[in-house]
Amino acid sequence: MRAILAALALILTPLTALAEMAPRDGWSVTPTTKSYDQLIADVKSAAKANKMGVVTQAGPTGAAKSRGITIPGNRVIGLFNNVYAVDILNLSTAAMIEAPVRVYVTENTDGTATLSYKLPSTVFAPYVQEAGPDLEALAGELDVIFASIAQDAIK
């Protein structure tokens, strides 16, 4: 019985991974006509153009492939700028756990890709009571920057 359940899990896992990103509260979710690889490249270029650095990158696609498992492209890219890092850290040590702010590039079943991210104002909202309105203002500035990155990347 366990073998049957394990086999079903292996069969269904790739199918559930194919689910497209859905809109959700506090997120920006933008399907594009771009390929997965092109959208990743364009996110990086857009981040640089908007004075944000690529701080981290991670995704299970390559590691899964090396294990013989094929899943859709899936990359999380952490973006931030040291000016914002220092300013936020001066307001709330705890809030820095949220940096860098991540964007998420996912491959769709039709070969296109979707760009998603939690709005920085959503990411930093739990710390505003502690840090005060200055953190809320910084998060609002980051909302504008991340929207610009997204717009530039999806062009």
Side-chain angles (χ1 to χ4, degrees), residues 30 77 106 114 120-121 126 132:
T30 308
I77 306 168
T106 50
T114 296
S121 56

Side-chain angles (χ1 to χ4, degrees), residues 30-48:
T30 308
T32 74
T33 58
K34 293 185 177 194
S35 72
Y36 170 74
D37 289 332
Q38 186 62 57
L39 186 55
I40 288 172
D42 290 347
V43 165
K44 291 176 185 179
S45 294
K48 185 176 181 180

